[in-house]
Amino acid sequence: LKLQFLYFIGYIAFNGCKMRSVFGLLLLCSLGEGVPVPRVREVTCTGRKTILMEVEEGNVAVDGVVQFQSRVYRVDGEITFPAATIRMQAGEVCNLRVVNKLKGPQCTMVDGQNGFHCPDITSLHTHGLHVSPQEDNIDTHIQPGQEHTYTYTVPGDHLMGTHWYHAHHHGSTSLQALGGLAGILLTDPAPSYKLPRDLRRLYRKEKVPPLILNYLALGDAEAGGFWDFFTHKDLVEEYDPVTVPLNLKWARGRPLPNNGTGIFYVVNGAMAPKVMLADGDATLLRMVHAGDGF
């Protein structure tokens, strides 16, 4: 069975039976064209290991359809879009060293200000980790040229699961997370934990890589119909000065995705990739919606 990811709200079709999708994407049984879903680079952060996450300006290219400049993570020396998947384990300590290499000016924070400001201050926030708020501190502010190390002590009884992380400076969260500063966070159980037999096979032999759904609003908001909210271009232009120009370049001779709106999703950085499922076999699907705006 072949599943093909398309752009917006739709259905899942199995042998002519349609079911609504809760992920805002069209999953379609298809024998048509489409690349296999790519695997996002993964790094393991256990045993007090330190992962280096450099925030810098970089070029994002999507399937030969579009490219643009954005703020991206260079994780342990490699830039990827989406950002690298980070794997932690219950009972272990993980250090994430975030170094802000953006070239924007130092920015003065104003207490209580939550409008568009300070586009190049960054921070890191996780969803799903049961750790101290001092470890996952959303009030950290990493100015250009500065760094901060987040130390996560994952409890020994922490549940396994699929979570995510993203930049979280109040004033530029949408700008940075939509642009690529977001990724999957996986937690594995402690080695002493015994999975139930019926789940052991699913988790030990994952046939489909974790799937991260990135929302790219690169077109004109007016062309989006009821998707009429901030596009990435709108967000970039809310800041004065614009420190990372979008420099948007669409491929020549190809229509914009999603009926010409240029407002669409990618899955693991690819447009409409296929997921292969064996008939009659159970398959584990891990999905993270790393969008913003709705």
Side-chain angles (χ1 to χ4, degrees), residues 228-259:
D228 192 9
F229 42 74
F230 276 109
T231 67
H232 200 69
K233 179 175 179 290
D234 295 326
L235 283 172
V236 168
E237 293 176 352
E238 284 291 324
Y239 296 88
D240 185 17
V242 173
T243 56
V244 179
L246 190 58
N247 291 340
L248 186 64
K249 297 178 182 178
W250 293 100
R252 293 182 179 179
R254 296 182 62 172
L256 300 191
N258 190 30
N259 298 320

PDB file of all heavy atoms in Angstrom, residues 228-259:
ATOM      1  N   ASP A 228      -5.971  32.878   5.488  1.00  0.00           N
ATOM      2  CA  ASP A 228      -5.586  34.276   5.345  1.00  0.00           C
ATOM      3  C   ASP A 228      -5.008  34.799   6.657  1.00  0.00           C
ATOM      4  O   ASP A 228      -5.681  35.459   7.437  1.00  0.00           O
ATOM      5  CB  ASP A 228      -6.800  35.106   4.918  1.00  0.00           C
ATOM      6  CG  ASP A 228      -6.400  36.506   4.484  1.00  0.00           C
ATOM      7  OD1 ASP A 228      -5.189  36.750   4.359  1.00  0.00           O
ATOM      8  OD2 ASP A 228      -7.295  37.331   4.285  1.00  0.00           O
ATOM      9  N   PHE A 229      -3.758  34.457   6.918  1.00  0.00           N
ATOM     10  CA  PHE A 229      -3.054  34.979   8.067  1.00  0.00           C
ATOM     11  C   PHE A 229      -1.616  35.230   7.643  1.00  0.00           C
ATOM     12  O   PHE A 229      -1.304  35.182   6.470  1.00  0.00           O
ATOM     13  CB  PHE A 229      -3.124  34.023   9.268  1.00  0.00           C
ATOM     14  CG  PHE A 229      -2.935  32.584   8.903  1.00  0.00           C
ATOM     15  CD1 PHE A 229      -1.682  32.094   8.578  1.00  0.00           C
ATOM     16  CD2 PHE A 229      -4.014  31.724   8.866  1.00  0.00           C
ATOM     17  CE1 PHE A 229      -1.499  30.777   8.234  1.00  0.00           C
ATOM     18  CE2 PHE A 229      -3.833  30.397   8.525  1.00  0.00           C
ATOM     19  CZ  PHE A 229      -2.583  29.922   8.205  1.00  0.00           C
ATOM     20  N   PHE A 230      -0.747  35.503   8.589  1.00  0.00           N
ATOM     21  CA  PHE A 230       0.617  35.879   8.244  1.00  0.00           C
ATOM     22  C   PHE A 230       1.315  34.812   7.400  1.00  0.00           C
ATOM     23  O   PHE A 230       1.345  33.647   7.759  1.00  0.00           O
ATOM     24  CB  PHE A 230       1.440  36.103   9.514  1.00  0.00           C
ATOM     25  CG  PHE A 230       1.292  37.476  10.101  1.00  0.00           C
ATOM     26  CD1 PHE A 230       0.612  37.667  11.290  1.00  0.00           C
ATOM     27  CD2 PHE A 230       1.831  38.563   9.446  1.00  0.00           C
ATOM     28  CE1 PHE A 230       0.475  38.931  11.829  1.00  0.00           C
ATOM     29  CE2 PHE A 230       1.703  39.838   9.979  1.00  0.00           C
ATOM     30  CZ  PHE A 230       1.022  40.021  11.176  1.00  0.00           C
ATOM     31  N   THR A 231       1.886  35.244   6.288  1.00  0.00           N
ATOM     32  CA  THR A 231       2.808  34.384   5.558  1.00  0.00           C
ATOM     33  C   THR A 231       4.211  34.666   6.091  1.00  0.00           C
ATOM     34  O   THR A 231       4.439  35.593   6.874  1.00  0.00           O
ATOM     35  CB  THR A 231       2.766  34.680   4.055  1.00  0.00           C
ATOM     36  OG1 THR A 231       3.285  36.006   3.824  1.00  0.00           O
ATOM     37  CG2 THR A 231       1.350  34.569   3.509  1.00  0.00           C
ATOM     38  N   HIS A 232       5.170  33.849   5.644  1.00  0.00           N
ATOM     39  CA  HIS A 232       6.539  34.055   6.114  1.00  0.00           C
ATOM     40  C   HIS A 232       7.063  35.409   5.636  1.00  0.00           C
ATOM     41  O   HIS A 232       7.799  36.100   6.357  1.00  0.00           O
ATOM     42  CB  HIS A 232       7.435  32.926   5.611  1.00  0.00           C
ATOM     43  CG  HIS A 232       8.697  32.785   6.400  1.00  0.00           C
ATOM     44  ND1 HIS A 232       8.717  32.336   7.701  1.00  0.00           N
ATOM     45  CD2 HIS A 232       9.989  33.063   6.087  1.00  0.00           C
ATOM     46  CE1 HIS A 232       9.955  32.337   8.152  1.00  0.00           C
ATOM     47  NE2 HIS A 232      10.749  32.769   7.195  1.00  0.00           N
ATOM     48  N   LYS A 233       6.696  35.804   4.434  1.00  0.00           N
ATOM     49  CA  LYS A 233       7.105  37.118   3.932  1.00  0.00           C
ATOM     50  C   LYS A 233       6.552  38.233   4.821  1.00  0.00           C
ATOM     51  O   LYS A 233       7.255  39.192   5.137  1.00  0.00           O
ATOM     52  CB  LYS A 233       6.609  37.285   2.493  1.00  0.00           C
ATOM     53  CG  LYS A 233       6.950  38.622   1.841  1.00  0.00           C
ATOM     54  CD  LYS A 233       6.510  38.626   0.379  1.00  0.00           C
ATOM     55  CE  LYS A 233       6.819  39.961  -0.284  1.00  0.00           C
ATOM     56  NZ  LYS A 233       5.963  41.047   0.215  1.00  0.00           N
ATOM     57  N   ASP A 234       5.280  38.100   5.222  1.00  0.00           N
ATOM     58  CA  ASP A 234       4.689  39.091   6.127  1.00  0.00           C
ATOM     59  C   ASP A 234       5.482  39.178   7.432  1.00  0.00           C
ATOM     60  O   ASP A 234       5.762  40.268   7.944  1.00  0.00           O
ATOM     61  CB  ASP A 234       3.236  38.730   6.454  1.00  0.00           C
ATOM     62  CG  ASP A 234       2.321  38.790   5.247  1.00  0.00           C
ATOM     63  OD1 ASP A 234       2.549  39.642   4.376  1.00  0.00           O
ATOM     64  OD2 ASP A 234       1.373  37.983   5.185  1.00  0.00           O
ATOM     65  N   LEU A 235       5.811  38.007   7.987  1.00  0.00           N
ATOM     66  CA  LEU A 235       6.538  37.976   9.254  1.00  0.00           C
ATOM     67  C   LEU A 235       7.889  38.664   9.128  1.00  0.00           C
ATOM     68  O   LEU A 235       8.273  39.475   9.982  1.00  0.00           O
ATOM     69  CB  LEU A 235       6.730  36.529   9.706  1.00  0.00           C
ATOM     70  CG  LEU A 235       5.519  35.842  10.320  1.00  0.00           C
ATOM     71  CD1 LEU A 235       5.811  34.360  10.544  1.00  0.00           C
ATOM     72  CD2 LEU A 235       5.129  36.502  11.633  1.00  0.00           C
ATOM     73  N   VAL A 236       8.622  38.330   8.078  1.00  0.00           N
ATOM     74  CA  VAL A 236       9.954  38.921   7.882  1.00  0.00           C
ATOM     75  C   VAL A 236       9.860  40.440   7.854  1.00  0.00           C
ATOM     76  O   VAL A 236      10.678  41.152   8.457  1.00  0.00           O
ATOM     77  CB  VAL A 236      10.589  38.381   6.586  1.00  0.00           C
ATOM     78  CG1 VAL A 236      11.836  39.196   6.212  1.00  0.00           C
ATOM     79  CG2 VAL A 236      10.949  36.907   6.744  1.00  0.00           C
ATOM     80  N   GLU A 237       8.847  40.959   7.180  1.00  0.00           N
ATOM     81  CA  GLU A 237       8.729  42.408   6.991  1.00  0.00           C
ATOM     82  C   GLU A 237       8.161  43.130   8.210  1.00  0.00           C
ATOM     83  O   GLU A 237       8.096  44.359   8.223  1.00  0.00           O
ATOM     84  CB  GLU A 237       7.874  42.687   5.753  1.00  0.00           C
ATOM     85  CG  GLU A 237       8.566  42.238   4.461  1.00  0.00           C
ATOM     86  CD  GLU A 237       7.706  42.417   3.226  1.00  0.00           C
ATOM     87  OE1 GLU A 237       6.504  42.755   3.391  1.00  0.00           O
ATOM     88  OE2 GLU A 237       8.225  42.223   2.112  1.00  0.00           O
ATOM     89  N   GLU A 238       7.740  42.393   9.241  1.00  0.00           N
ATOM     90  CA  GLU A 238       7.282  43.019  10.474  1.00  0.00           C
ATOM     91  C   GLU A 238       8.449  43.578  11.292  1.00  0.00           C
ATOM     92  O   GLU A 238       8.240  44.350  12.217  1.00  0.00           O
ATOM     93  CB  GLU A 238       6.506  42.018  11.330  1.00  0.00           C
ATOM     94  CG  GLU A 238       5.094  41.740  10.845  1.00  0.00           C
ATOM     95  CD  GLU A 238       4.172  42.940  11.022  1.00  0.00           C
ATOM     96  OE1 GLU A 238       4.318  43.675  12.023  1.00  0.00           O
ATOM     97  OE2 GLU A 238       3.313  43.152  10.147  1.00  0.00           O
ATOM     98  N   TYR A 239       9.669  43.174  10.966  1.00  0.00           N
ATOM     99  CA  TYR A 239      10.832  43.563  11.762  1.00  0.00           C
ATOM    100  C   TYR A 239      11.598  44.683  11.055  1.00  0.00           C
ATOM    101  O   TYR A 239      11.747  44.666   9.836  1.00  0.00           O
ATOM    102  CB  TYR A 239      11.754  42.353  11.985  1.00  0.00           C
ATOM    103  CG  TYR A 239      11.088  41.267  12.797  1.00  0.00           C
ATOM    104  CD1 TYR A 239      10.318  40.277  12.184  1.00  0.00           C
ATOM    105  CD2 TYR A 239      11.210  41.240  14.188  1.00  0.00           C
ATOM    106  CE1 TYR A 239       9.688  39.289  12.932  1.00  0.00           C
ATOM    107  CE2 TYR A 239      10.592  40.254  14.939  1.00  0.00           C
ATOM    108  CZ  TYR A 239       9.831  39.284  14.303  1.00  0.00           C
ATOM    109  OH  TYR A 239       9.214  38.312  15.045  1.00  0.00           O
ATOM    110  N   ASP A 240      12.051  45.624  11.847  1.00  0.00           N
ATOM    111  CA  ASP A 240      12.807  46.767  11.321  1.00  0.00           C
ATOM    112  C   ASP A 240      14.056  46.952  12.188  1.00  0.00           C
ATOM    113  O   ASP A 240      13.949  47.277  13.374  1.00  0.00           O
ATOM    114  CB  ASP A 240      11.943  48.026  11.344  1.00  0.00           C
ATOM    115  CG  ASP A 240      12.630  49.215  10.696  1.00  0.00           C
ATOM    116  OD1 ASP A 240      13.611  48.999   9.950  1.00  0.00           O
ATOM    117  OD2 ASP A 240      12.196  50.351  10.946  1.00  0.00           O
ATOM    118  N   PRO A 241      15.244  46.669  11.626  1.00  0.00           N
ATOM    119  CA  PRO A 241      15.481  46.317  10.231  1.00  0.00           C
ATOM    120  C   PRO A 241      15.284  44.812   9.978  1.00  0.00           C
ATOM    121  O   PRO A 241      15.258  44.022  10.913  1.00  0.00           O
ATOM    122  CB  PRO A 241      16.952  46.689  10.039  1.00  0.00           C
ATOM    123  CG  PRO A 241      17.561  46.429  11.388  1.00  0.00           C
ATOM    124  CD  PRO A 241      16.507  46.842  12.377  1.00  0.00           C
ATOM    125  N   VAL A 242      15.161  44.453   8.690  1.00  0.00           N
ATOM    126  CA  VAL A 242      15.120  43.045   8.296  1.00  0.00           C
ATOM    127  C   VAL A 242      16.557  42.552   8.261  1.00  0.00           C
ATOM    128  O   VAL A 242      17.350  42.998   7.429  1.00  0.00           O
ATOM    129  CB  VAL A 242      14.438  42.871   6.922  1.00  0.00           C
ATOM    130  CG1 VAL A 242      14.561  41.424   6.459  1.00  0.00           C
ATOM    131  CG2 VAL A 242      12.978  43.295   6.985  1.00  0.00           C
ATOM    132  N   THR A 243      16.906  41.649   9.156  1.00  0.00           N
ATOM    133  CA  THR A 243      18.299  41.214   9.267  1.00  0.00           C
ATOM    134  C   THR A 243      18.602  39.965   8.432  1.00  0.00           C
ATOM    135  O   THR A 243      19.760  39.718   8.090  1.00  0.00           O
ATOM    136  CB  THR A 243      18.655  40.947  10.737  1.00  0.00           C
ATOM    137  OG1 THR A 243      17.730  39.989  11.276  1.00  0.00           O
ATOM    138  CG2 THR A 243      18.569  42.234  11.559  1.00  0.00           C
ATOM    139  N   VAL A 244      17.575  39.161   8.133  1.00  0.00           N
ATOM    140  CA  VAL A 244      17.746  37.999   7.262  1.00  0.00           C
ATOM    141  C   VAL A 244      16.694  38.096   6.158  1.00  0.00           C
ATOM    142  O   VAL A 244      15.566  37.641   6.323  1.00  0.00           O
ATOM    143  CB  VAL A 244      17.604  36.663   8.020  1.00  0.00           C
ATOM    144  CG1 VAL A 244      17.776  35.476   7.073  1.00  0.00           C
ATOM    145  CG2 VAL A 244      18.628  36.579   9.155  1.00  0.00           C
ATOM    146  N   PRO A 245      17.033  38.718   5.020  1.00  0.00           N
ATOM    147  CA  PRO A 245      16.067  38.836   3.923  1.00  0.00           C
ATOM    148  C   PRO A 245      15.636  37.462   3.435  1.00  0.00           C
ATOM    149  O   PRO A 245      16.424  36.516   3.417  1.00  0.00           O
ATOM    150  CB  PRO A 245      16.836  39.603   2.842  1.00  0.00           C
ATOM    151  CG  PRO A 245      17.986  40.249   3.551  1.00  0.00           C
ATOM    152  CD  PRO A 245      18.329  39.336   4.686  1.00  0.00           C
ATOM    153  N   LEU A 246      14.372  37.341   3.014  1.00  0.00           N
ATOM    154  CA  LEU A 246      13.838  36.051   2.587  1.00  0.00           C
ATOM    155  C   LEU A 246      14.495  35.555   1.294  1.00  0.00           C
ATOM    156  O   LEU A 246      14.737  34.358   1.135  1.00  0.00           O
ATOM    157  CB  LEU A 246      12.320  36.174   2.403  1.00  0.00           C
ATOM    158  CG  LEU A 246      11.533  34.896   2.188  1.00  0.00           C
ATOM    159  CD1 LEU A 246      11.735  33.919   3.336  1.00  0.00           C
ATOM    160  CD2 LEU A 246      10.042  35.200   2.020  1.00  0.00           C
ATOM    161  N   ASN A 247      14.760  36.464   0.369  1.00  0.00           N
ATOM    162  CA  ASN A 247      15.389  36.093  -0.917  1.00  0.00           C
ATOM    163  C   ASN A 247      14.711  34.878  -1.552  1.00  0.00           C
ATOM    164  O   ASN A 247      15.362  33.895  -1.933  1.00  0.00           O
ATOM    165  CB  ASN A 247      16.890  35.808  -0.732  1.00  0.00           C
ATOM    166  CG  ASN A 247      17.680  37.063  -0.406  1.00  0.00           C
ATOM    167  OD1 ASN A 247      17.229  38.181  -0.657  1.00  0.00           O
ATOM    168  ND2 ASN A 247      18.847  36.900   0.185  1.00  0.00           N
ATOM    169  N   LEU A 248      13.408  34.958  -1.667  1.00  0.00           N
ATOM    170  CA  LEU A 248      12.596  33.838  -2.150  1.00  0.00           C
ATOM    171  C   LEU A 248      12.804  33.620  -3.646  1.00  0.00           C
ATOM    172  O   LEU A 248      12.736  34.556  -4.441  1.00  0.00           O
ATOM    173  CB  LEU A 248      11.124  34.138  -1.859  1.00  0.00           C
ATOM    174  CG  LEU A 248      10.093  33.059  -2.137  1.00  0.00           C
ATOM    175  CD1 LEU A 248      10.328  31.860  -1.240  1.00  0.00           C
ATOM    176  CD2 LEU A 248       8.690  33.620  -1.916  1.00  0.00           C
ATOM    177  N   LYS A 249      13.054  32.370  -4.041  1.00  0.00           N
ATOM    178  CA  LYS A 249      13.259  32.034  -5.453  1.00  0.00           C
ATOM    179  C   LYS A 249      12.456  30.790  -5.794  1.00  0.00           C
ATOM    180  O   LYS A 249      12.770  29.692  -5.310  1.00  0.00           O
ATOM    181  CB  LYS A 249      14.743  31.809  -5.740  1.00  0.00           C
ATOM    182  CG  LYS A 249      15.610  33.041  -5.531  1.00  0.00           C
ATOM    183  CD  LYS A 249      17.080  32.730  -5.799  1.00  0.00           C
ATOM    184  CE  LYS A 249      17.950  33.956  -5.536  1.00  0.00           C
ATOM    185  NZ  LYS A 249      19.387  33.652  -5.743  1.00  0.00           N
ATOM    186  N   TRP A 250      11.435  30.960  -6.640  1.00  0.00           N
ATOM    187  CA  TRP A 250      10.647  29.826  -7.100  1.00  0.00           C
ATOM    188  C   TRP A 250      11.273  29.266  -8.377  1.00  0.00           C
ATOM    189  O   TRP A 250      11.869  29.998  -9.163  1.00  0.00           O
ATOM    190  CB  TRP A 250       9.211  30.258  -7.389  1.00  0.00           C
ATOM    191  CG  TRP A 250       8.429  30.681  -6.172  1.00  0.00           C
ATOM    192  CD1 TRP A 250       8.193  31.954  -5.765  1.00  0.00           C
ATOM    193  CD2 TRP A 250       7.800  29.823  -5.220  1.00  0.00           C
ATOM    194  NE1 TRP A 250       7.448  31.957  -4.612  1.00  0.00           N
ATOM    195  CE2 TRP A 250       7.187  30.667  -4.258  1.00  0.00           C
ATOM    196  CE3 TRP A 250       7.688  28.437  -5.089  1.00  0.00           C
ATOM    197  CZ2 TRP A 250       6.473  30.152  -3.178  1.00  0.00           C
ATOM    198  CZ3 TRP A 250       6.974  27.934  -4.015  1.00  0.00           C
ATOM    199  CH2 TRP A 250       6.391  28.773  -3.073  1.00  0.00           C
ATOM    200  N   ALA A 251      11.123  27.974  -8.571  1.00  0.00           N
ATOM    201  CA  ALA A 251      11.633  27.347  -9.795  1.00  0.00           C
ATOM    202  C   ALA A 251      10.878  27.887 -10.998  1.00  0.00           C
ATOM    203  O   ALA A 251       9.652  28.059 -10.961  1.00  0.00           O
ATOM    204  CB  ALA A 251      11.471  25.830  -9.710  1.00  0.00           C
ATOM    205  N   ARG A 252      11.595  28.162 -12.074  1.00  0.00           N
ATOM    206  CA  ARG A 252      10.962  28.698 -13.280  1.00  0.00           C
ATOM    207  C   ARG A 252      10.150  27.624 -13.988  1.00  0.00           C
ATOM    208  O   ARG A 252      10.525  26.454 -14.036  1.00  0.00           O
ATOM    209  CB  ARG A 252      12.031  29.231 -14.224  1.00  0.00           C
ATOM    210  CG  ARG A 252      12.775  30.455 -13.693  1.00  0.00           C
ATOM    211  CD  ARG A 252      13.783  30.960 -14.708  1.00  0.00           C
ATOM    212  NE  ARG A 252      14.490  32.145 -14.222  1.00  0.00           N
ATOM    213  CZ  ARG A 252      15.432  32.771 -14.913  1.00  0.00           C
ATOM    214  NH1 ARG A 252      15.789  32.316 -16.121  1.00  0.00           N
ATOM    215  NH2 ARG A 252      16.021  33.835 -14.416  1.00  0.00           N
ATOM    216  N   GLY A 253       9.028  28.046 -14.527  1.00  0.00           N
ATOM    217  CA  GLY A 253       8.229  27.155 -15.356  1.00  0.00           C
ATOM    218  C   GLY A 253       7.378  26.162 -14.588  1.00  0.00           C
ATOM    219  O   GLY A 253       6.781  25.262 -15.185  1.00  0.00           O
ATOM    220  N   ARG A 254       7.317  26.296 -13.245  1.00  0.00           N
ATOM    221  CA  ARG A 254       6.495  25.387 -12.458  1.00  0.00           C
ATOM    222  C   ARG A 254       5.464  26.192 -11.689  1.00  0.00           C
ATOM    223  O   ARG A 254       5.779  27.250 -11.136  1.00  0.00           O
ATOM    224  CB  ARG A 254       7.350  24.576 -11.480  1.00  0.00           C
ATOM    225  CG  ARG A 254       8.349  23.657 -12.161  1.00  0.00           C
ATOM    226  CD  ARG A 254       9.143  22.831 -11.163  1.00  0.00           C
ATOM    227  NE  ARG A 254       8.290  21.949 -10.371  1.00  0.00           N
ATOM    228  CZ  ARG A 254       8.772  21.025  -9.540  1.00  0.00           C
ATOM    229  NH1 ARG A 254      10.082  20.871  -9.404  1.00  0.00           N
ATOM    230  NH2 ARG A 254       7.958  20.249  -8.862  1.00  0.00           N
ATOM    231  N   PRO A 255       4.211  25.729 -11.616  1.00  0.00           N
ATOM    232  CA  PRO A 255       3.205  26.455 -10.844  1.00  0.00           C
ATOM    233  C   PRO A 255       3.513  26.384  -9.353  1.00  0.00           C
ATOM    234  O   PRO A 255       4.147  25.425  -8.887  1.00  0.00           O
ATOM    235  CB  PRO A 255       1.904  25.707 -11.167  1.00  0.00           C
ATOM    236  CG  PRO A 255       2.352  24.330 -11.541  1.00  0.00           C
ATOM    237  CD  PRO A 255       3.668  24.507 -12.240  1.00  0.00           C
ATOM    238  N   LEU A 256       3.076  27.397  -8.616  1.00  0.00           N
ATOM    239  CA  LEU A 256       3.277  27.372  -7.173  1.00  0.00           C
ATOM    240  C   LEU A 256       2.461  26.233  -6.568  1.00  0.00           C
ATOM    241  O   LEU A 256       1.368  25.904  -7.040  1.00  0.00           O
ATOM    242  CB  LEU A 256       2.851  28.703  -6.545  1.00  0.00           C
ATOM    243  CG  LEU A 256       3.575  29.965  -7.016  1.00  0.00           C
ATOM    244  CD1 LEU A 256       3.229  31.130  -6.103  1.00  0.00           C
ATOM    245  CD2 LEU A 256       5.077  29.761  -7.067  1.00  0.00           C
ATOM    246  N   PRO A 257       2.962  25.612  -5.507  1.00  0.00           N
ATOM    247  CA  PRO A 257       2.228  24.514  -4.877  1.00  0.00           C
ATOM    248  C   PRO A 257       0.875  24.953  -4.322  1.00  0.00           C
ATOM    249  O   PRO A 257       0.628  26.133  -4.091  1.00  0.00           O
ATOM    250  CB  PRO A 257       3.164  24.091  -3.735  1.00  0.00           C
ATOM    251  CG  PRO A 257       4.509  24.598  -4.119  1.00  0.00           C
ATOM    252  CD  PRO A 257       4.260  25.858  -4.891  1.00  0.00           C
ATOM    253  N   ASN A 258       0.011  23.966  -4.100  1.00  0.00           N
ATOM    254  CA  ASN A 258      -1.322  24.170  -3.536  1.00  0.00           C
ATOM    255  C   ASN A 258      -2.137  25.154  -4.367  1.00  0.00           C
ATOM    256  O   ASN A 258      -2.505  26.228  -3.916  1.00  0.00           O
ATOM    257  CB  ASN A 258      -1.237  24.636  -2.076  1.00  0.00           C
ATOM    258  CG  ASN A 258      -2.592  24.624  -1.397  1.00  0.00           C
ATOM    259  OD1 ASN A 258      -3.465  23.826  -1.731  1.00  0.00           O
ATOM    260  ND2 ASN A 258      -2.777  25.520  -0.440  1.00  0.00           N
ATOM    261  N   ASN A 259      -2.377  24.771  -5.610  1.00  0.00           N
ATOM    262  CA  ASN A 259      -3.223  25.564  -6.516  1.00  0.00           C
ATOM    263  C   ASN A 259      -2.713  26.986  -6.701  1.00  0.00           C
ATOM    264  O   ASN A 259      -3.500  27.930  -6.813  1.00  0.00           O
ATOM    265  CB  ASN A 259      -4.664  25.589  -6.015  1.00  0.00           C
ATOM    266  CG  ASN A 259      -5.284  24.203  -5.975  1.00  0.00           C
ATOM    267  OD1 ASN A 259      -5.068  23.393  -6.879  1.00  0.00           O
ATOM    268  ND2 ASN A 259      -6.027  23.911  -4.923  1.00  0.00           N
TER     269      ASN A 259
END
